[in-house]
Amino acid sequence: MKKLSMVALFLLLPATVFAHGGSVGLYTSQAATDCDAFVPPGTPTSIYLMYYKSDGGPDGISGVEFMIEKTSAMVLFLTPTWNPQTIQNGDLATGIGVAFTAECFGAGQSLIWIGTIQVMDIGGIPGWILKVVGDPRSLEGNGLNVSRCDYDKTMAPVLGGWFVASEGGCNVSNDGRSWGAIKSLYSE
């Protein structure tokens, strides 16, 4: 019986470790097809914050919690434009919660626009990166979650995406060549 329990534990462990409800990423448009671009110094640039539902992710969400890390202090966050059906609590650089005012926002959609972040490079080295990471104020998991549309607003862990300020620095395709780049970002 002990061996059977150990086998069951090893079989369930990967499912628990790798289960997620999608991703929250940074893209050059609401189409979420590109996560890199040349950002000219001194020019405000729009970066779109999107929730991308996975096959096992919730059908619609009531909110999201996250933070955005910058690899360069020479990149400034300007005033974001939020989806008009949201309210926010916190700050992009220190942790933020975004709640949708609709009961179950984005039901039936695989891609949900959360907001548009204006950034300005004031002298950063080209190739700086913005990463979506967990809100340190969160009481759930690593703080990178979407809330389901159930009564308790149950949190579902999601993956965080990134934006690279260099053309060709990011690949959103799902072929084998992109997997090494994805793994390298999470192993730092």
Side-chain angles (χ1 to χ4, degrees), residues 24-39 45-50 52 111 130 161-174 178:
V24 176
L26 301 163
Y27 301 95
T28 58
S29 74
Q30 287 187 29
T33 56
D34 194 11
C35 54
D36 59 32
F38 171 71
V39 177
T45 302
S46 295
I47 299 173
Y48 298 83
L49 182 67
M50 306 293 293
Y52 209 141
L111 198 57
L130 301 177
W162 60 91
F163 174 85
V164 181
S166 173
E167 197 62 53
C170 177
N171 183 354
V172 294
S173 72
N174 60 3
S178 65

Side-chain angles (χ1 to χ4, degrees), residues 20-121:
H20 63 84
S23 64
V24 176
L26 301 163
Y27 301 95
T28 58
S29 74
Q30 287 187 29
T33 56
D34 194 11
C35 54
D36 59 32
F38 171 71
V39 177
T43 304
T45 302
S46 295
I47 299 173
Y48 298 83
L49 182 67
M50 306 293 293
Y51 166 66
Y52 209 141
K53 176 186 171 291
S54 71
D55 289 341
D59 184 22
I61 57 175
S62 59
V64 60
E65 59 182 2
F66 63 95
M67 182 175 91
I68 299 179
E69 286 183 348
K70 306 180 286 185
T71 61
S72 174
M74 302 303 287
V75 176
L76 304 176
F77 289 129
L78 305 178
T79 305
T81 303
W82 297 105
N83 183 314
Q85 295 189 47
T86 63
I87 53 175
Q88 308 79 40
N89 176 348
D91 182 76
L92 291 170
T94 59
I96 189 165
V98 178
F100 286 94
T101 56
E103 187 172 319
C104 190
F105 192 80
Q109 300 175 20
S110 61
L111 198 57
I112 299 172
W113 175 63
I114 300 166
T116 304
I117 300 162
Q118 290 280 318
V119 297
M120 186 163 43
D121 181 347

